Amino acid sequence: MFKQYCKKCGEETDHKELMKQKPSKYGTSKTEQFKAFMEGFFGGTASAVGASLDLLDRYVVCQQCGCKTLDNKGDEFQ
């Protein structure tokens, strides 16, 4: 947990970090899902947990009001 300004609360509150998978740019067919798998398998830089950071979005969540804000900072999220 860390302190950060919350726009909804109007004050500095405790926040948590939340990582969520970005929506797939591929369709839902088996062929498109296979393409997504192959790109994930051969592309990107894998982290210790096996997920590529370029496939994730970073959110910060206010622990007081629950406001969730997309907060992709740094080159690893682009």
Side-chain angles (χ1 to χ4, degrees):
M1 239 184 292
F2 55 93
K3 294 272 188 191
Q4 184 169 318
Y5 181 79
C6 176
K7 291 180 184 178
K8 190 172 181 181
C9 294
E11 60 186 84
E12 194 150 310
T13 60
D14 286 331
H15 282 71
K16 276 189 172 180
E17 183 178 70
L18 173 67
M19 303 296 273
K20 289 183 73 177
Q21 185 175 356
K22 289 182 181 180
S24 175
K25 62 182 177 184
Y26 295 98
T28 57
S29 73
K30 288 184 180 184
T31 303
E32 295 299 313
Q33 291 300 308
F34 182 70
K35 286 180 190 176
F37 169 77
M38 294 305 288
E39 182 178 307
F41 187 75
F42 291 111
T45 305
S47 71
V49 293
S52 181
L53 285 177
D54 57 346
L55 299 176
L56 298 174
D57 278 328
R58 177 183 180 264
Y59 292 89
V60 291
V61 182
C62 176
Q63 296 302 286
Q64 186 168 316
C65 70
C67 180
K68 182 169 64 170
T69 306
L70 181 63
D71 192 31
N72 286 346
K73 293 182 182 168
D75 293 336
E76 62 270 14
F77 289 102
Q78 296 181 13

